[in-house]
Amino acid sequence: MVKKDTALGTGTMADRITDDEFERRMYSHDIAPLPKEMEAIFNTMPDFVVRPKSAKEVSNIIHVAQRKKLPVIPRGGASWGLGGCIPVKGGILLDMSTMDNIIEIDGDNLTATVEAGITWKKLCDTLERKGYFLGAYPSSAPSATVAGWINTGGVGIGTYKYGGAGDMIRNMEVVLPNGDIINTGFDYVMPNGSGYNLNWLFVGSEGTLGVVTKVTFKIYPAPEKFESISYSFNNLKQVGAAIHDITRAPINPFHMGFGDAMHYEYLRKVGIKAPKVGSLLTVTFEGAKEIVKYEEKVVDSIIAKHGGKSLGTEVGAHEWSSRSYEFKVRKMGLGAIPGEILVPMNTFSKVLDDTAKLIKKMKLKVPMIGSVADRNSVMVMPYYLTDKRKFVRSLTTMGFNKKFADIAFKHNGRPVGLGLFFACNVEKMFGREGSNLMHEIKSAIDPNDIMNPGKLVRTTTGFGFDAPGFAMNMGLGLLASVRSLLPRDTFGEKK
Ligand SMILES: Cc1cc2nc3c(=O)[nH]c(=O)nc-3n(C[C@H](O)[C@H](O)[C@H](O)COP(=O)(O)OP(=O)(O)OC[C@H]3O[C@@H](n4cnc5c(N)ncnc54)[C@H](O)[C@@H]3O)c2cc1C
């Protein structure tokens, strides 16, 4: 290990750098419950934790990391769960949550400029107080940071109408792996026109190309009316038929989120008020009063045509206020691990069939939630509970995510995140040539592979060598097969 005083601990930053073992351990995992035994494969303990306060400080740290050939791992709220902010071979962990200031809200140009470690909730609440509105944000807004969601290329609340993380960005300040500080876009106008779109290069890059330190978003005037209505259905297939027709109608709701019977049953089991339904779709409308009224009328009639029943605005308001707390169900196990895929509207029903078969084969209990991401993309997010004390069970259940991604590929879709374990999907997603280009981009920007190594383009072990994609694919497939031989899940059942 590099000694703190020789490498980093000088000047005004000294009190924000630590090599204390307890603190380093706190930063050796994210929200997902990885079995402790994984530490035999990955060196998840950072050598240092640093809490920077400016892009200049990040740049200084990166210069040290280059000299010492140490990995640099950016971390936001650690709420992703795919291991993106977990070290694989130690290094310098950058806790970006200390950079959480609002720099400027510019009502004249309709922009908000913030430090990258601010949470979405802090930003949205501030904008609301000033009469503005940000299009989209992840449902984990209370803990997720703006740069965390940007780096996962996320899909979330409001994405249907306003796009994902990348669609809202005007400009970013990014510290590159050579320490240079760059701007990726333009503060006041869209990035359209000639030139590689650097904003989008960093969206979904999982912290492998640089550290985002500042972001300028476009913002909107606050809507006149905001209202959610919940609709009950017998099952998710009926929901699928209804959302198909809503997306084909000339209206533009703000958000559509759904969940199945097991999800609401789990919520009730952990003491949260939740409707007793076969499935629930909550549609949120936003805009001028007259437009909201018209859109609600159109949606009501589509829902009725597909056998849905309106539960009204009271249940809608409750669902809306609970939108950030769907994973409280993890109290039933020791943690909940989500799978996340995007599939086209016309294969959603087949995806549900294949997923049901997979769940049965692997003997799991898997509630399903999801949202409509755009007019032809459905985000399907099943999750399973785990108890990491049961090593074999929790390890083998990870095979579900691999098999679930295969279902997405089969039905013209894609898995959403890659993180620590699923770099083996890159070639399946982008083809060999596309995957090669991604490796070349990574090598060109980060020739020494110091920036969040072992994520997105490759899985790197703590011993320094990469696990080949085909081996990861086979290994994860094998885990799924072993899980099928184990007893079925009994989470939430009376013993
Ligand atoms: C209850 C709950 C609801 C969720 N809802 C959604 C949802 O609606 N939509 C969705 O997409 N996801 C959702 N997620 C997953 C997760 O919350 C999001 O991906 C979130 O945006 C991650 O933000 P974070 O700050 O926690 O990032 P982290 O988990 O800390 O990091 C995620 C990735 O971003 C990188 N990173 C972080 N900060 C920086 C930086 N400054 N510069 C460069 N790279 C950086 C990390 O290295 C890592 O690869 C949900 C999770 C939970 C628990």
Side-chain angles (χ1 to χ4, degrees):
M1 196 174 100
V2 183
K3 284 274 175 270
K4 176 174 157 179
D5 54 353
T6 57
L8 295 164
T10 52
T12 55
M13 275 183 73
D15 58 343
R16 286 178 278 111
I17 298 169
T18 179
D19 58 4
D20 174 79
E21 185 175 349
F22 178 74
E23 287 207 54
R24 289 187 295 124
R25 185 154 295 286
M26 296 293 288
Y27 286 91
S28 68
H29 58 87
D30 67 3
I31 194 175
L34 273 187
K36 199 173 170 324
E37 288 78 355
M38 286 302 212
E39 288 168 20
I41 305 170
F42 303 107
N43 178 9
T44 58
M45 277 281 265
D47 297 311
F48 302 98
V49 175
V50 181
R51 300 183 181 94
K53 281 284 192 189
S54 67
K56 186 81 187 84
E57 286 187 357
V58 172
S59 173
N60 290 344
I61 293 160
I62 286 178
H63 282 298
V64 173
Q66 282 290 8
R67 280 200 303 277
K68 304 283 175 190
K69 300 279 178 292
L70 279 176
V72 175
I73 306 100
R75 171 180 166 122
S79 68
W80 192 32
L82 283 181
C85 63
I86 301 179
V88 294
K89 44 180 185 174
I92 304 171
L93 191 136
L94 291 182
D95 177 354
M96 297 302 293
S97 67
T98 39
M99 290 184 65
D100 70 340
N101 290 308
I102 292 181
I103 297 167
E104 186 185 26
I105 292 176
D106 179 344
D108 191 22
N109 287 296
L110 285 176
T111 57
T113 301
V114 295
E115 288 183 331
I118 190 173
T119 64
W120 289 93
K121 183 163 171 30
K122 182 172 169 187
L123 172 57
C124 290
D125 287 353
T126 310
L127 285 172
E128 196 181 316
R129 281 198 298 278
K130 292 182 182 286
Y132 298 104
F133 172 65
L134 188 72
Y137 52 86
S139 59
S140 49
S143 52
T145 63
V146 299
W149 198 44
I150 289 168
N151 272 275
T152 59
V155 165
I157 308 278
T159 292
Y160 184 74
K161 190 165 185 176
Y162 291 96
D167 295 293
M168 302 186 302
I169 300 169
R170 285 256 185 259
N171 190 15
M172 285 190 290
E173 177 185 77
V174 180
V175 186
L176 297 179
N178 64 3
D180 286 355
I181 302 172
I182 62 159
N183 278 294
T184 58
F186 306 87
D187 279 344
Y188 302 120
V189 292
M190 65 209 306
N192 300 42
S194 302
Y196 304 122
N197 190 327
L198 296 183
N199 281 349
W200 278 100
L201 178 64
F202 290 92
V203 174
S205 65
E206 298 187 0
T208 60
L209 298 180
V211 182
V212 178
T213 46
K214 189 166 82 177
V215 186
T216 299
F217 291 107
K218 49 186 169 184
I219 57 174
Y220 300 85
E224 196 183 2
K225 183 157 187 184
F226 213 97
E227 188 160 75
S228 300
I229 303 181
S230 290
Y231 302 91
S232 71
F233 289 86
N234 291 335
N235 53 55
L236 276 187
K237 285 207 167 185
Q238 279 185 342
V239 171
I243 57 178
H244 174 276
D245 284 7
I246 295 171
T247 56
R248 268 60 187 162
I251 55 170
N252 203 9
F254 176 63
H255 184 68
M256 289 181 263
F258 54 80
D260 70 357
M262 190 181 282
H263 174 61
Y264 295 102
E265 184 196 324
Y266 272 24
L267 286 174
R268 286 194 300 278
K269 284 207 161 118
V270 295
I272 293 173
K273 190 175 144 201
K276 283 189 183 167
V277 287
S279 281
L280 193 76
L281 171 69
T282 299
V283 185
T284 300
F285 305 87
E286 159 269 320
K289 275 186 199 153
E290 286 306 308
I291 291 175
V292 168
K293 196 170 153 197
Y294 171 73
E295 291 190 338
E296 287 180 359
K297 209 169 117 198
V298 174
V299 169
D300 276 350
S301 73
I302 292 173
I303 299 286
K305 196 175 110 197
H306 290 285
K309 184 171 163 254
S310 174
L311 303 183
T313 50
E314 200 180 318
V315 178
H318 174 264
E319 287 306 301
W320 178 250
S321 65
S322 322
R323 69 195 182 284
S324 293
Y325 307 108
E326 52 209 3
F327 283 121
K328 283 201 169 163
V329 294
R330 69 175 185 271
K331 287 186 207 154
M332 282 169 60
L334 274 188
I337 301 201
E340 209 182 357
I341 61 172
L342 281 166
V343 293
M345 193 62 73
N346 65 4
T347 65
F348 179 54
S349 176
K350 293 186 191 121
V351 167
L352 291 176
D353 287 340
D354 283 357
T355 308
K357 280 185 212 151
L358 175 64
I359 292 168
K360 191 167 174 216
K361 190 167 170 205
M362 290 185 68
K363 299 189 208 149
L364 302 174
K365 289 180 82 171
V366 181
M368 302 270 260
I369 53 178
S371 64
V372 188
D374 71 12
R375 283 186 196 267
N376 208 41
S377 311
V378 190
M379 207 269 283
V380 193
M381 198 166 128
Y383 63 87
Y384 49 85
L385 301 178
T386 58
D387 179 345
K388 66 178 179 181
R389 293 168 307 190
K390 296 182 177 158
F391 172 60
V392 177
R393 266 186 176 238
S394 70
L395 180 71
T396 54
T397 306
M398 282 174 59
F400 175 82
N401 294 63
K402 182 252 183 296
K403 295 281 181 187
F404 185 55
D406 289 345
I407 292 174
F409 292 129
K410 179 178 160 196
H411 295 294
N412 303 324
R414 60 162 292 176
V416 181
L418 297 168
L420 182 52
F421 297 104
F422 299 104
C424 52
N425 282 329
V426 172
E427 202 170 311
K428 289 190 200 166
M429 278 162 30
F430 302 103
R432 169 146 314 170
E433 293 77 10
S435 160
N436 286 346
L437 179 61
M438 292 221 177
H439 278 90
E440 282 160 20
I441 291 171
K442 167 74 173 158
S443 302
I445 296 177
D446 183 17
N448 296 325
D449 194 21
I450 65 153
M451 193 55 70
N452 208 5
K455 314 290 162 58
L456 198 144
V457 288
R458 58 174 69 96
T459 304
T460 307
T461 65
F463 309 105
F465 61 79
D466 292 348
F470 75 90
M472 282 301 288
N473 253 315
M474 271 173 51
L476 289 164
L478 189 65
L479 292 181
S481 305
V482 174
R483 180 62 188 84
S484 326
L485 303 174
L486 300 175
R488 69 179 186 88
D489 271 351
T490 54
F491 288 106
E493 293 174 16
K494 287 205 176 89
K495 297 273 183 281

